[in-house]
Amino acid sequence: MMLRLIRNRCLLFLFSLIFLSSSSFAQTYIAGNIYFDSTGFVEYRAGNLPIIISASHGGTLEPTGIPDLSCNGTPSGFIDSYTKEIAEGIYNTFYVKTGCYPHVIINHVHKKKFQPNANMTNAACGNIIIEKAWTAYHSFIDSAEAQIVQDYGRGFLLDLHGHGHSIQRIELGYLLDTNKLRLSDSVLNIPTNINKSSIRKLIGSNILNLSHADLLRGQYSFGTLLENKGYSSIPSSSNPFTLIGEPYFTGGYITRRHGSRDNNGGLDAIQIEFNQGIRFNSLKRDTLIDSLTSTLIEYIDYHYFNQFANNSCSVLSVDINETTNAKINVYPNPIKKGEHIKFNNQDLIKK
């Protein structure tokens, strides 16, 4: 009788949760589904992880009705080749590794016609269609951020780009110029410099209580985690800063707009610039995708959510009675279509 009462109360509790997830927290986008904006130029792959992948300069479409950008002088004739494919690969590899999806936003239009990594004026040069695409690109990021904040409280954005610099290494942009990176750890760790970083919120709250300098180039920094997998990266423990005269991308508009330096929302952000040596070789690119996915999992696990690697998109696991050890699980994250409910490992609802 007691077990039946507990079971009934459990069901009532769970039905209430499902009602809340489908009403008060109704979802516009379903994890695992792909959406396009009204122009057809911007793709959003909805996720259920606290990770956003942005690929703004890898598109190849050159619509005849869209003129080349002219308001900023001669537009670049080069795209960030294969960054779109890397973003798609990360999305698929995450699902293979975890059964969950990151949020992915992709621009399919050539960089010389549309540059989402700039403010609207410079991104569209007054073209109404491109202005719509620009609005959609950043609205998709905003929607993904809102979902992440609702489900996890905080998250991380990685903006993918490609560089043509002669030094074959990955460049990680935290909105800090080369002079800032050359500062000592103690100076990097003062509030003035922390407030200039695209991971400002993470510096203030991370599991290992690491400093700004540690998060930039320490043992558990994003660059060092990549270097542990064989990818020369800067900044990292091996390459803490650039030498005078060496080229380096510090990060652009997307990192500023959506990262925690300028945005009080729930995202930290890093711009990542891949060298041509790993982008242009299909075998190396596939290995990079796998390594980058593993690095993202490690980074979130070390700094944001402990044991994230083992519980990537679960949101509820609660003991309701210590004497009976009855346990409820709702999975996966309710933003996916359908719910599964288990009571003591027996299916109660599956739809």
Side-chain angles (χ1 to χ4, degrees), residues 132-193:
K132 288 182 179 179
W134 182 93
T135 299
Y137 196 95
H138 293 281
S139 293
F140 280 142
I141 295 179
D142 290 339
S143 294
E145 178 184 353
Q147 186 64 66
I148 287 170
V149 170
Q150 177 179 294
D151 291 344
Y152 296 91
R154 59 195 304 203
F156 177 74
L157 182 149
L158 191 66
D159 188 32
L160 311 187
H161 293 272
H163 72 76
H165 299 155
S166 60
I167 303 176
Q168 294 298 296
R169 63 188 177 193
I170 293 174
E171 300 174 11
L172 301 169
Y174 296 85
L175 302 179
L176 303 169
D177 62 28
T178 53
N179 292 326
K180 284 286 188 294
L181 289 181
R182 294 191 196 107
L183 295 173
S184 66
D185 287 1
S186 60
V187 177
L188 271 174
N189 291 335
I190 66 174
T192 300
N193 290 318

Side-chain angles (χ1 to χ4, degrees), residues 81-83 85-86 168 231 274-289:
S81 300
Y82 301 108
T83 51
E85 290 78 5
I86 292 171
Q168 294 298 296
Y231 298 95
F274 302 109
N275 52 291
Q276 292 181 344
I278 54 176
R279 282 189 291 133
F280 284 64
N281 182 298
S282 61
L283 294 178
K284 290 182 178 180
R285 194 164 60 245
D286 288 342
T287 303
L288 170 68
I289 289 167

Side-chain angles (χ1 to χ4, degrees), residues 37 39-42 59-69 79 107-115 127 129-130 133:
D37 74 317
T39 68
F41 297 155
V42 180
T60 57
L61 297 179
E62 298 186 42
T64 55
I66 304 296
D68 291 355
L69 299 174
I79 64 171
N107 165 37
H108 287 278
V109 177
H110 198 287
K111 184 179 178 182
K112 66 183 180 182
K113 294 180 180 289
F114 175 30
Q115 299 196 34
N127 185 280
I129 296 175
I130 295 302

Side-chain angles (χ1 to χ4, degrees), residues 145 200-201 256-267:
E145 178 184 353
R200 178 174 58 88
K201 284 198 170 183
R256 292 195 302 273
R257 177 186 173 102
H258 299 285
S260 61
R261 189 193 78 172
D262 296 352
N263 182 3
N264 289 323
L267 295 179

Side-chain angles (χ1 to χ4, degrees), residues 304-324:
Y304 290 87
F305 306 106
N306 197 15
Q307 298 300 314
F308 171 79
N310 299 320
N311 303 281
S312 299
C313 56
S314 60
V315 294
L316 176 65
S317 180
V318 58
D319 289 331
I320 62 166
N321 190 300
E322 294 180 358
T323 59
T324 63

Side-chain angles (χ1 to χ4, degrees), residues 17-143:
L17 284 177
I18 294 170
F19 174 77
L20 286 173
S21 69
S22 62
S23 57
S24 300
F25 303 104
Q27 304 303 319
T28 303
Y29 303 107
I30 299 172
N33 285 6
I34 299 176
Y35 304 86
F36 283 85
D37 74 317
S38 61
T39 68
F41 297 155
V42 180
E43 175 183 345
Y44 173 41
R45 299 189 174 203
N48 51 4
L49 290 170
I51 297 168
I52 300 174
I53 306 297
S54 163
S56 58
H57 288 165
T60 57
L61 297 179
E62 298 186 42
T64 55
I66 304 296
D68 291 355
L69 299 174
S70 59
C71 58
N72 305 309
T74 303
S76 170
F78 300 98
I79 64 171
D80 294 356
S81 300
Y82 301 108
T83 51
K84 176 173 71 71
E85 290 78 5
I86 292 171
E88 293 167 345
I90 293 171
Y91 183 80
N92 295 327
T93 304
F94 252 107
Y95 184 74
V96 171
K97 288 180 178 290
T98 70
C100 312
Y101 298 99
H103 300 262
V104 174
I105 296 91
I106 297 171
N107 165 37
H108 287 278
V109 177
H110 198 287
K111 184 179 178 182
K112 66 183 180 182
K113 294 180 180 289
F114 175 30
Q115 299 196 34
N117 195 27
N119 62 39
M120 182 187 284
T121 299
N122 295 329
C125 292
N127 185 280
I128 295 175
I129 296 175
I130 295 302
E131 287 181 352
K132 288 182 179 179
W134 182 93
T135 299
Y137 196 95
H138 293 281
S139 293
F140 280 142
I141 295 179
D142 290 339
S143 294

